[in-house]
Amino acid sequence: MNAISTVAKRSVLALVCLVAAAGCSVKEAGPRAADPCAIADPSAERDLLKQITGSGEFDTRVNATTAHLVDSLKGDVRSLPSTPWLMCGYVPKQGKDADRVQLQVRWLYRESKEQNPKDTVPVEASGAVGWAGDTGSQLRVRCDLPGDLRQQSDNALLAVEESFRIGAPRPNMTQADRDRQTALAYLMARRVTEALGCENKPLKRAPVVKVLPSPTPTPTPTATPKS
C-alpha cells in the first residue's frame, strides 16, 4: 500500500469517527438552507469549529443573509470568474481574533486551470475537489442551477473557501487538521448548494475526505541551441 493510500484511509476513518462523535445533524437540510451561518449545538459543524479554532465557544458573524447571498450568486454566474462573497466568520470567545475562521463563496470557470496554492494538499470530499493547507482550504463542486440559469451554470464551478489564523500559518499542522478543514468546507458548501437549489444535489452524501496524488509538474522545455 503506498503512502497516499495509507493517508487516505486514515483520513476516512478519522472523519467517520468525528461525524459519529458529533451526533450529526447533517441530515436536517431545512435549517442549513435557511441560515447559511447558524451552527447548531450539537452538530458536526460545531465540533469541527471547536477543534479548528482550539476554542470551546465562538461568536458567529453573518456577513450575508441567505436571500442576499443567493441573489448575488445567481447574478454572478453570468460573469465568470466572480468576485468572492464573504459569507460567515467564527471568532473564538477565548483567544485571538486572528484565530478566526472565515468562509467565502464564488464561481470559477468549470475548465479553470487555476493552480493550487503553494504548500497545499489536493483533496476530495465525496465528489467535491479542492485543496487544504496551513492557512486555508477550498472545495469546488458543480451546481446545476434551475431555470434560465442552467446554461450559465454549466460553465461554472461553485467554490467555497476558508481562511484560518489570519496573517500566519498555524504551527504543527497535521493531515487530520486538514481533513477537519475540508469536512467543514464541505458541510458549509452544502448549505450554499441547498439554498441555491442545485438540481444535481451535489453534496447530499456525508463528507469522506481523501488525499489526492499531487499533480506532476510539467517539465520546462529546453531550448535547442542554434547551430
Side-chain angles (χ1 to χ4, degrees), residues 35-39 49 53 57-64 85-93 97 99-104 161-164 166 184 188 191:
D35 187 339
C37 297
I39 302 297
L49 277 165
T53 61
E57 296 297 333
F58 49 84
D59 291 322
T60 300
R61 297 180 180 176
V62 181
N63 298 97
W85 284 96
L86 193 57
M87 177 177 156
C88 309
Y90 302 98
V91 182
K93 289 186 176 180
D97 186 68
D99 291 329
R100 68 187 182 276
V101 176
Q102 289 193 152
L103 294 110
Q104 60 185 28
E161 300 165 344
E162 298 167 306
S163 59
F164 310 92
I166 308 304
L184 179 62
M188 299 307 289
R191 299 177 181 213

Side-chain angles (χ1 to χ4, degrees), residues 5 22 31 33-34 49 58 83 86 99 113 130 132 145 151 162 202 211 213 221-222 226:
S5 298
L49 277 165
F58 49 84
T83 302
L86 193 57
D99 291 329
K113 302 299 182 183
L145 292 176
Q151 185 174 355
E162 298 167 306
V211 178
T222 303
K226 294 182 179 179

Side-chain angles (χ1 to χ4, degrees), residues 6 22 45 48-50 87 94 109 121 127 131 138 141 157 163 165 167 171 179 193-194 197 205 225:
T6 301
E45 293 94 330
L48 288 164
L49 277 165
K50 284 182 177 180
M87 177 177 156
Q94 302 294 327
Y109 285 111
V121 177
W131 50 264
Q138 180 197 81
V141 67
L157 288 175
S163 59
R165 192 175 174 85
D179 291 347
T193 60
E194 289 173 348
R205 293 180 291 167

Side-chain angles (χ1 to χ4, degrees), residues 19-225:
V19 170
C24 265
S25 62
V26 296
K27 292 184 179 179
E28 299 173 7
R32 287 201 308 269
D35 187 339
C37 297
I39 302 297
D41 186 9
S43 67
E45 293 94 330
R46 177 172 290 274
D47 193 51
L48 288 164
L49 277 165
K50 284 182 177 180
Q51 294 184 62
I52 291 169
T53 61
S55 170
E57 296 297 333
F58 49 84
D59 291 322
T60 300
R61 297 180 180 176
V62 181
N63 298 97
T65 64
T66 301
H68 178 69
L69 189 66
V70 167
D71 288 345
S72 300
L73 288 171
K74 286 185 175 181
D76 286 352
V77 76
R78 302 177 189 275
S79 180
L80 303 174
S82 69
T83 302
W85 284 96
L86 193 57
M87 177 177 156
C88 309
Y90 302 98
V91 182
K93 289 186 176 180
Q94 302 294 327
K96 298 179 180 179
D97 186 68
D99 291 329
R100 68 187 182 276
V101 176
Q102 289 193 152
L103 294 110
Q104 60 185 28
V105 59
R106 61 177 172 141
W107 296 103
L108 298 174
Y109 285 111
R110 185 167 296 190
E111 302 302 326
S112 173
K113 302 299 182 183
E114 184 177 296
Q115 297 284 328
N116 291 349
K118 185 180 178 182
D119 298 327
T120 61
V121 177
V123 295
E124 177 190 7
S126 300
V129 297
W131 50 264
D134 294 355
T135 59
S137 60
Q138 180 197 81
L139 277 182
R140 304 180 298 275
V141 67
R142 198 185 92 230
C143 170
D144 296 341
L145 292 176
D148 60 354
L149 293 177
R150 177 59 182 271
Q151 185 174 355
Q152 283 81 7
S153 65
D154 282 346
N155 299 318
L157 288 175
L158 187 69
V160 170
E161 300 165 344
E162 298 167 306
S163 59
F164 310 92
R165 192 175 174 85
I166 308 304
R170 287 181 293 165
N172 306 316
M173 283 283 291
T174 67
Q175 187 54 47
D177 295 323
R178 298 185 186 95
D179 291 347
R180 294 185 191 102
Q181 293 177 186
T182 304
L184 179 62
Y186 183 99
L187 294 173
M188 299 307 289
R190 178 191 282 174
R191 299 177 181 213
V192 179
T193 60
E194 289 173 348
L196 284 170
C198 303
E199 293 184 330
N200 54 319
K201 303 185 185 303
L203 304 177
K204 61 183 178 181
R205 293 180 291 167
V208 177
V209 180
K210 299 178 182 178
V211 178
L212 300 176
S214 297
T216 303
T218 303
T220 303
T222 303
T224 302

